Amino acid sequence: IWNACGRSARRPPQSRRKPEPLLLHIVARGRIGRGAEAELVDRYLKRIGWPVRLTELPDLGGRVPPRDPDGVTVALDERGQSLSSVELARTLERWRDAGRRECRFLLGAADGHGDAERTGADLLLAFGRATWPHLLARAMLAEQLFRATSILANHPYHREG
């Protein structure tokens, strides 16, 4: 490659390019309002260094935003996999490095997800075997996303062992 002065201009090798950030998109059934849970969710979402979007839908109906064709979907479900914080971070890293543009996290209403949503998800994720109130699950997800991105940034927030 030649620049305007006739000298060779080198491009950085592919491995040195910083990957595009992965959009972390939370699609949640139910409105959270202005309580303590909403403040906790906001606190963690504002601290995440990656792009974040929160879409709230009514418990029934509502228009789900179209899925990015280069995206992945994670449904929070008590029957899903329990991942450690580091495992979740590495999963997000793998998707980001593979060129995925969006990771959509689905939080169902009180009755959870239907079969179609579970089947269409790339990952079913559980926060343990217990059933959590919807608003706490949203706060826990926000915290885990902050923790995962902190792990990937080598930030000291996460302490292991």
Side-chain angles (χ1 to χ4, degrees):
I1 298 173
W2 296 91
N3 64 16
C5 298
R7 296 188 189 130
S8 174
R10 295 181 185 244
R11 289 185 186 168
Q14 287 281 32
S15 61
R16 290 189 189 177
R17 274 193 195 160
K18 186 176 178 182
E20 291 293 319
L22 179 68
L23 170 64
L24 304 174
H25 186 178
I26 299 171
V27 180
R29 292 272 174 200
R31 306 249 182 232
I32 199 167
R34 293 187 179 176
E37 297 90 349
E39 290 176 21
L40 192 57
V41 169
D42 286 343
R43 181 184 312 161
Y44 284 116
L45 293 183
K46 286 178 183 175
R47 296 171 72 184
I48 296 173
W50 294 17
V52 177
R53 180 180 301 150
L54 174 62
T55 301
E56 289 187 328
L57 300 171
D59 285 343
L60 297 172
R63 186 169 165 238
V64 177
R67 181 179 172 181
D68 186 313
D70 291 327
V72 291
T73 300
V74 177
L76 272 70
D77 188 281
E78 69 269 8
R79 291 171 270 184
Q81 285 182 273
S82 292
L83 300 179
S84 71
S85 297
V86 171
E87 290 170 327
L88 177 60
R90 296 298 170 227
T91 300
L92 293 175
E93 178 181 47
R94 191 172 58 253
W95 287 335
R96 179 200 64 192
D97 293 350
R100 300 299 192 142
R101 295 173 19 160
E102 176 188 41
C103 183
R104 178 176 291 204
F105 293 87
L106 303 179
L107 284 137
D111 293 327
H113 300 292
D115 291 336
E117 289 173 304
R118 276 191 206 91
T119 304
D122 298 285
L123 173 67
L124 294 178
L125 178 65
F127 290 141
R129 294 180 57 184
T131 301
W132 295 96
H134 179 80
L135 299 179
L136 281 182
R138 192 183 304 194
M140 291 166 62
L141 175 60
E143 192 280 336
Q144 283 299 295
L145 293 177
F146 171 65
R147 184 176 297 273
T149 56
S150 296
I151 289 168
L152 295 176
N154 294 315
H155 186 278
Y157 176 76
H158 178 71
R159 295 176 184 88
E160 199 166 14

